[in-house]
Amino acid sequence: MSLVQSVDNVALLPAYLAAGTAVLVLLADLLVARAAATVAVAAAGAVATAAGAAWVGAGDGRSTFCVGGDCSYVFGGRAALVGALFALLTLGVLALSGPLLRAGRTPVGEYCFLLACSMTGGVVLGAAGDLITLIVALETLTLPLYVLVGLRRGSLASAEAAVTFFVVSVVATALTLLGAALLYAVTGGLHLGRVGAALTERPALLDVPLTTAAVALVLLGLAFKVAAVPFHAWAPATYDGAPLPVAAYLSTASKLGGVVALLAVVEHALPPATTGPVLALVAVLTMTVGNLVALRQRRTVRLLAWSSVAQAGYILAPLGALAMAAGRAGDARAAAYAAAVAYAAFFVLLELAAFAAVVALRPADADGGTLDDLRGAARRRPWVGAAFALALTGLAGLPPGLAGLFAKVTVVRALLDGGAGWLALVVAVNAVLGLAYYLRLAALLYAPAADAPAPGGDRAGQRPPARAVAVTLAVATVVAVAVGLAPQLVLDLAGR
């Protein structure tokens, strides 16, 4: 066995581009000192990162930091999909941040630098091949968000949200690290494949209490990151207190990172027979509680936050079928993994489109407001309202939201193929339950406006800028057309 570690710089190119973006943003802010130039550098870096991820992930992919056949960094089709998604989400959030940055209460250089740092963590996370790389990448993704949530000067709600997010994330990270340390103590390995092989080849290890504790701690820590029930309470308050573009990034990129990390350890390291029933129970609780509480929400961002909690349940559902699929053909398990990744990809794009519409309909530097503030918004802003309604129908899984409809069908099909018909039924019932608040909000957009002008809509000096409307339409178009009409490409990448 060779103990010489290989290094492939081409495999690392997407990470280089993302990290280089953060450095260039600092230099642009220092040397040029113009907000437009700083944002342009960050946007160009995000585009370059997405292109680099697509190029490196083409074909059979590449790997690096390999010792004796175990690699710490594996950049294949799925890693390319995840890296490109993080880059596109960063680009979308930058576009949505225009009104916030022009308001002058948020420093542009620091804002763009933190977003680029978070993007770097997301790109590396998708290719992580061992527990150390995975946890470090997840924290690189999450740490800048603590500051971004509280970066709005003079806002007590923003500061409270940042502290809440920080405390919960630190606890979750500590639990994950402790679980990883115990897994290393039990198996003697840190690479995901080596840990999984040790637990498979020596089934007696599964009866060791230390192994049970290790698996439970890893799942618990990552469940916090995904905001899965019962580890979800931090999410609504944090989203509602953060600036709207940051809340959009939290509900998409942060959740995507948690899902990718959880998927990596479940697929390669942890035994499906142990994790499957636990994840099935968590999925049922998450989608049910998220939908039921969302029905009672009167604030826009809190409704979207609870909606994202419910959507996390749909993402986790295919992983819950792994125990039943373990005795079936390998295709059933592969389909479950691909369905989870594909659903996550569709969800983050639709969620970003929904937040884009909220940003366009609210004053610069304002919070999401209440649902009543959006009454009649589609009558005042027809194109923005139509884009918002399209995103909501997509999240609900109804046509013409082709992406959301395909995503839910993919999940249900994976559950049926995996022998988890009861879980598919729970997903279907919850999807119907979710229609109530998605369609209620969509109908509210076209309802007759109240006598008083809705906040943020028609008062002088507070009209949403035309650029925000253009961004909304662009995001909605990408979601409805590019994603909805190319589902097989996403599934192919998710399964590699």
Side-chain angles (χ1 to χ4, degrees):
M1 178 186 298
S2 173
L3 297 180
V4 178
Q5 181 171 262
S6 68
V7 178
D8 184 352
N9 287 301
V10 175
L12 293 168
L13 178 61
Y16 289 156
L17 291 170
T21 300
V23 175
L24 290 176
V25 163
L26 282 182
L27 293 176
D29 187 52
L30 176 64
L31 300 176
V32 181
R34 295 184 60 182
T38 303
V39 174
V41 169
V47 172
T49 301
W55 179 70
V56 176
D60 296 329
R62 308 176 74 102
S63 58
T64 187
F65 300 129
C66 300
V67 177
D70 295 316
C71 297
S72 297
Y73 190 91
V74 182
F75 207 94
R78 185 183 299 176
L81 174 63
V82 171
L85 273 176
F86 274 108
L88 293 176
L89 287 174
T90 302
L91 184 63
V93 171
L94 282 171
L96 299 181
S97 302
L100 174 68
L101 298 178
R102 283 193 295 271
R105 296 174 62 190
T106 301
V108 177
E110 290 86 340
Y111 187 89
C112 295
F113 170 74
L114 291 169
L115 273 179
C117 289
S118 183
M119 176 179 66
T120 303
V123 171
V124 175
L125 179 62
D130 63 48
L131 290 171
I132 294 177
T133 304
L134 185 140
I135 294 175
V136 170
L138 187 59
E139 288 312 299
T140 304
L141 166 67
T142 306
L143 279 172
L145 299 180
Y146 307 153
V147 185
L148 283 172
V149 170
L151 201 57
R152 188 169 55 181
R153 297 190 183 107
S155 173
L156 180 60
S158 180
E160 291 175 348
V163 172
T164 301
F165 186 35
F166 172 75
V167 172
V168 171
S169 291
V170 166
V171 172
T173 301
L175 293 175
T176 308
L177 283 171
L178 180 57
L182 294 180
L183 276 178
Y184 176 69
V186 171
T187 63
L190 285 171
H191 290 89
L192 299 177
R194 184 175 291 274
V195 172
L199 295 177
T200 301
E201 295 168 0
R202 292 183 284 171
L205 289 177
L206 298 177
D207 298 326
V208 177
L210 197 62
T211 306
T212 303
V215 173
L217 287 171
V218 171
L219 290 179
L220 179 65
L222 296 179
F224 271 108
K225 300 290 187 182
V226 180
V229 175
F231 316 110
H232 65 288
W234 62 272
T238 301
Y239 293 3
D240 201 22
L244 276 175
V246 177
Y249 194 76
L250 269 174
S251 66
T252 54
S254 177
K255 189 174 293 292
L256 178 63
V259 168
V260 170
L262 187 61
L263 182 67
V265 296
V266 169
E267 181 177 7
H268 299 293
L270 304 183
T274 303
T275 60
V278 175
L279 290 175
L281 176 61
V282 170
V284 170
L285 289 175
T286 301
M287 67 180 81
T288 303
V289 172
N291 282 322
L292 289 176
V293 180
L295 290 171
R296 303 177 58 247
Q297 297 306 304
R298 292 295 178 266
R299 291 189 60 82
T300 305
V301 173
R302 283 185 177 266
L303 185 145
L304 292 176
W306 283 105
S307 160
S308 73
V309 170
Q311 298 288 344
Y314 302 138
I315 297 171
L316 295 177
L319 304 183
L322 292 178
M324 285 155 281
R328 295 176 174 242
D331 290 344
R333 293 183 59 188
Y337 295 127
V341 176
Y343 195 98
F346 291 127
F347 159 71
V348 297
L349 292 175
L350 289 165
E351 185 82 350
L352 183 64
F355 269 99
V358 176
V359 170
L361 294 171
R362 297 291 295 159
D365 200 29
D367 59 17
T370 65
L371 297 182
D372 288 336
D373 294 337
L374 298 177
R375 179 181 295 275
R379 294 169 177 258
R380 300 187 300 273
R381 303 285 184 270
W383 290 107
V384 180
F388 197 4
L390 177 64
L392 292 172
T393 56
L395 289 170
L398 292 176
L402 300 177
L405 178 62
F406 169 76
K408 282 189 169 55
V409 170
T410 301
V411 167
V412 171
R413 182 184 301 168
L415 292 174
L416 293 176
D417 292 342
W422 68 272
L423 192 51
L425 179 62
V426 173
V427 169
V429 171
N430 273 277
V432 174
L433 187 62
L435 295 179
Y437 57 86
Y438 285 126
L439 295 183
R440 181 186 66 186
L441 179 53
L444 191 66
L445 295 173
Y446 290 92
D451 294 338
D458 293 354
R459 290 183 296 186
Q462 292 189 348
R463 293 176 66 86
R467 188 175 302 174
V469 177
V471 169
T472 303
L473 295 177
V475 173
T477 301
V478 169
V479 172
V481 179
V483 178
L485 298 181
Q488 195 57 47
L489 175 60
V490 176
L491 272 183
D492 289 343
L493 290 174
R496 284 166 50 193

